[in-house]
Amino acid sequence: PIYPGLAEAVLESLDDQFGIPPDLVSGEQLRSILKRLEPVTEITHGAYFLGRFLSYVAKRAPEQLLDYLLKRVGRAAQRQNKTRDYTPIPFGLEGLFSGVEDAGVHDALLRKVALELSRSSGTRRYWLTQLFALVAGGFGPPALRLITELSEEREEATYRLIATVLSAAPRGFAFANEELCATLLERSEDISFEAHRAIHAALLTSTQSGSYSGALGQPSAAHESIRDQANEAARRLDRRPAGATFFRDVAKYAQETIDRMLEHAQEYLIE
């Protein structure tokens, strides 16, 4: 295995002012460097030079960066690396692919990960889901275009794939795209109970993603916001039962979470 500290020491030399300007690195050399970085045990925001290098690759050759990350996923899934601390997907570098300026290229990257997801299961599927989220970033236009495109295929397997993708969406995704969510729920209902349940569960999971904080004995402001936004969305979708029902479920789940948190806090304070 290669630990991040060693990669940092090597990549520090790639610097426009104090080392080798990255633009002087040829395409073949770039591929060679990425190949040597495949065994790096983990990639986090704490590895400054490694993160800087990958951000540079994302802008210059995003397809190569995706291939590099896919190979890391393959390494993890096949257990080629025998260390237990091997994590293929970068952590704390959520905006890594934000530098991809060509919308067509970004669309193609997401489509490639989605294709791999459709063929995968188990550990590989788990890591590919995380990779999709990384490439999708905030699930903006490229992700929306792909989800909309996939939704036209009225197949249960396709909707299971959409559900997998949606499970990695950020917390605000459903509220920012309530019409799309209603459409997905309606179409999945027409396909099968299993397809509808998968979409419903994935969207519900996405609304609960991220971290939460709050004062002991007080309801979580984040959960209150989720509840209130969901109730408003349900009212707006009153004439679209599938969407309205989903958002009412979100509101109910958020309220139940608030109630549990308050109950646990009360028990703690009594003790």
Side-chain angles (χ1 to χ4, degrees), residues 1 3 19 43 48 102 106 121 123 164 187 196 207 210 226 258:
Y3 293 97
I43 304 170
Y48 173 77
D102 189 317
H106 208 155
S121 60
T123 302
T164 300
R187 290 179 178 177
H196 180 71
T207 65
I226 291 170
I258 291 170

Side-chain angles (χ1 to χ4, degrees), residues 26 32 53 126 128 168 170 195 226:
S26 70
S32 178
F53 173 70
Y126 169 79
L128 284 171
I226 291 170

Side-chain angles (χ1 to χ4, degrees), residues 116-156:
E116 292 292 331
L117 261 172
S118 69
R119 300 169 173 172
S120 303
S121 60
T123 302
R124 182 176 176 82
R125 188 178 184 84
Y126 169 79
W127 288 120
L128 284 171
T129 303
Q130 305 306 308
L131 178 56
F132 186 95
L134 179 66
V135 179
F139 274 65
L144 291 174
R145 282 193 292 270
L146 177 61
I147 293 169
T148 301
E149 177 184 312
L150 290 172
S151 71
E152 298 296 331
E153 300 178 20
R154 310 299 175 86
E155 300 290 337
E156 185 172 308

